[in-house]
Amino acid sequence: MKLLEERIRRDGIIREGDVLKVDSFLNHQMDIDLFQEMGKEFYRLFGEENVTKILTIESSGIGIACVAAEYFHCPVLFAKKSKTKNIAGDVYRTKVMSFTHGREYDVIVSRDFLKAEDRVLLIDDFLANGAALLGLKDLVDQSGATPVGAGIAVEKAFQPGGKRLRDAGMRVESLAKVAALHDDGTVDFC
Ligand code: 5GP
């Protein structure tokens, strides 16, 4: 998606450890006009899939997922990072290693909100090593629902997440695919 690539070129900042900062428009301050174009594009890609629910993970996926849901007309569910190890058995639970914080989280969703008949679109801001998305897929698989695919804003294609997800049978559609981040601040797209 040209619009997102241009915005990354203009406002993205490259940080140590292959981190692309997009705080000014994507995951701290949010450009809702851009999100609407992204939502439309996700709908163009997945609109035929009869999506009944969008699943994302807190916190940076939530804004993108909510705007996308305006096109799909379905609820948004976000997986919560759980601090308590053991709570009642009314949740699906999995473990996710955080790319940005370098630690493992338990993430949960209530069993009330994911049902076997659901057709679930996963949405997130970034795809790096794939832990977040594989965790979301695991939650969907536990519920017996159908994961119809993953809609990603920015895939860092030089990291293994995309391959891991596609190898696991997921349809992955990324609006901007980064081939390389350079020390001089430039970004190559696939
Ligand atoms: P993964 O689980 O695929 O390794 O990483 C995905 C998660 O890490 C995303 O939800 C995102 O919040 C965060 N993340 C990974 N790489 C980047 C990056 O380059 N920039 C930012 N801002 N977040 C990232």
Side-chain angles (χ1 to χ4, degrees), residues 113-180:
F113 304 133
L114 261 190
K115 299 290 182 194
E117 58 273 21
D118 275 319
R119 294 180 58 78
V120 184
L121 174 63
L122 309 180
I123 283 194
D124 205 5
D125 59 341
F126 271 88
L127 177 57
N129 292 328
L133 267 294
L134 285 165
L136 293 181
K137 180 180 182 299
D138 183 28
L139 295 172
V140 175
D141 289 345
Q142 288 178 45
S143 73
T146 305
V148 302
I152 308 293
V154 186
E155 176 177 348
K156 292 189 291 181
F158 57 90
Q159 290 173 334
K163 181 173 173 4
R164 289 174 74 193
L165 270 170
R166 292 177 180 103
D167 285 353
M170 283 288 285
R171 175 182 171 200
V172 181
E173 300 284 358
S174 305
L175 303 186
K177 270 179 133 176
V178 174

Side-chain angles (χ1 to χ4, degrees), residues 18-20 27 60 99-100 124-132 156:
D18 283 327
V19 170
L20 176 63
N27 56 18
S60 13
F99 182 90
T100 33
D124 205 5
D125 59 341
F126 271 88
L127 177 57
N129 292 328
K156 292 189 291 181

Side-chain angles (χ1 to χ4, degrees), residues 10 29 31 33 36 56 136 149 157:
R10 200 184 80 191
Q29 176 169 262
D31 180 336
D33 289 338
Q36 279 177 339
T56 186
L136 293 181

